[in-house]
Amino acid sequence: EKWDNIDDEIWAKVIVLERNRRIAKAYARAPVLTVNGSDDGFDGFKIGVNGFENPMRDHKVTEFKSQIGAGCKLKMDDSGNILVKRVSKGNIYVKNTAEETAVSNDILKLPNGLLEMDKPFKLFDMKKFQQNVNREMKRQFPERNKLETQCISTIAFVKNEGEVLDSPIWIMLINIVALEMLGAKMPKPTGVKARGVPQFSTGTLKKNVHSGSSDEDPYSLTPSGSSGSSGKGLRDRSRDESGTRARDSDGYGPQNWAHKGIPNDL
C-alpha cells in the first residue's frame, strides 16, 4: 500500500498547481519548508515554483509567478499544527470555502484570507480539527470524507480568485499526520464480510487528493536525503505499541527536530 510506504518523517504532501493543472508535487520532510518564486524546483528544504515545466502555461500565469518573491514558510509544530508565515511583499491568501474547517480562527478573520507580513498563523489547527473529529463521530452517520477534506490546506499566491481553480499559482498542502490520526480514530470500511459485517482499516487517503495521475511520474519529487533528517519519523514516534497512532495530541509533532541541528523556526 502506498500509504504504508510513505517515510515516517514526512509530515505533508505539497501539490503545486497553475489554475487547474498540477505542475509538481513534493513531500515535506524538513522542519521548515519554504515555497517561493525561485527557479530552484524542489531540493528538500524549499519549493521554487518557477522551476517546473508547464506546456499549457499562459502569459498571465508567468506574470503572476514573477511577483511571488520570497513566498512563505511552512512548518509543523510539536502539537501537530501547521504554521504558515508570509515573508514576501507579494500577497498570499489562505483559501477556505468549507463551512467546517481546521483553518485557524485567526486566519478566518482576515479579509479574503490575506496573510499579514512576517506573522505566523495556524494554517491547520490540530485542536480545532480534533474537536471537529469528535463532533463528527457523535453523529449517527459520521461523514469521514468531510474530515479528510479538512486535512487539505490551500494557499494562493499574488492573485486572489473567487474560484481556486482559477488561481494562476497555488498549492495544496495535505496533512499526512492528521490523516493518519483520522485513520486511527475513525477506521474506514474496506469491504463487507458475510452477513453484512464491514471490515475496517486504519488507513486513509492514499492517493494524492484532487489529482488524477499516478505518483510514479516525473513530477514526484523526493530527493533522497535532502532534508538532512534522521532517526525515527514524526509519525512513527506517535504510534502506540499496537502500531496505531496514539490518540492524544502530544505525539503528533516532530519533537526531536531541535536535536538534529536543523533550523526549525519560521
Side-chain angles (χ1 to χ4, degrees):
E1 287 276 10
K2 188 180 300 179
W3 181 261
D4 298 324
N5 292 333
I6 294 178
D7 191 312
D8 283 329
E9 293 182 349
I10 290 169
W11 52 274
K13 179 174 183 174
V14 183
I15 300 174
V16 185
L17 302 101
E18 294 177 5
R19 304 203 195 281
N20 64 348
R21 185 180 180 86
R22 188 191 73 192
I23 60 165
K25 57 187 174 183
Y27 290 97
R29 181 187 280 112
V32 178
L33 181 70
T34 300
V35 183
N36 62 26
S38 72
D39 57 5
D40 295 335
F42 179 55
D43 65 3
F45 294 99
K46 63 180 178 294
I47 298 175
V49 299
N50 282 302
F52 306 112
E53 299 285 334
N54 177 9
M56 308 295 289
R57 181 177 298 140
D58 61 70
H59 70 280
K60 279 290 186 185
V61 169
T62 302
E63 179 185 334
F64 288 124
K65 287 178 72 176
S66 69
Q67 300 172 34
I68 292 173
C72 65
K73 294 180 181 291
L74 298 156
K75 73 167 284 186
M76 177 172 281
D77 68 13
D78 287 346
S79 299
N81 303 307
I82 294 180
L83 306 178
V84 59
K85 184 167 78 172
R86 171 185 162 192
V87 292
S88 69
K89 293 179 182 177
N91 289 346
I92 294 179
Y93 304 88
V94 174
K95 307 290 289 179
N96 176 62
T97 55
E99 292 181 16
E100 196 171 87
T101 176
V103 175
S104 70
N105 294 333
D106 287 339
I107 290 180
L108 295 179
K109 293 174 187 174
L110 298 172
N112 296 317
L114 175 59
L115 296 179
E116 299 170 13
M117 276 279 287
D118 294 320
K119 182 178 178 182
F121 288 92
K122 287 182 186 176
L123 178 65
F124 179 93
D125 187 327
M126 178 58 87
K127 184 176 181 181
K128 188 175 178 182
F129 178 66
Q130 288 176 311
Q131 291 171 345
N132 293 346
V133 171
N134 292 336
R135 188 185 309 115
E136 191 66 30
M137 289 178 70
K138 291 175 183 174
R139 301 188 199 278
Q140 185 176 2
F141 302 106
E143 293 183 53
R144 181 194 173 92
N145 289 348
K146 189 162 71 174
L147 296 169
E148 289 179 335
T149 301
Q150 293 180 35
C151 298
I152 305 168
S153 306
T154 307
I155 297 174
F157 295 87
V158 184
K159 184 82 163 62
N160 184 40
E161 297 283 0
E163 170 56 57
V164 70
L165 291 176
D166 292 331
S167 301
I169 178 68
W170 57 290
I171 63 170
M172 286 196 301
L173 188 138
I174 302 169
N175 189 333
I176 302 289
V177 176
L179 282 173
E180 195 167 78
M181 185 207 86
L182 181 60
K185 280 203 166 191
M186 189 185 289
K188 69 189 298 186
T190 56
V192 179
K193 283 184 173 180
R195 299 184 183 178
V197 180
Q199 296 175 282
F200 290 92
S201 159
T202 56
T204 181
L205 281 179
K206 297 179 177 67
K207 287 293 289 182
N208 47 307
V209 184
H210 294 218
S211 175
S213 61
S214 148
D215 272 8
E216 291 69 43
D217 65 30
Y219 296 130
S220 190
L221 306 162
T222 51
S224 59
S226 59
S227 71
S229 55
S230 59
K232 280 197 169 187
L234 66 93
R235 295 184 0 256
D236 187 57
R237 283 193 297 278
S238 57
R239 298 174 191 269
D240 61 21
E241 291 179 359
S242 68
T244 305
R245 174 176 298 287
R247 295 196 176 191
D248 60 4
S249 64
D250 295 337
Y252 293 136
Q255 290 96 336
N256 68 348
W257 276 350
H259 307 304
K260 293 183 178 180
I262 303 173
N264 64 354
D265 294 327
L266 274 183

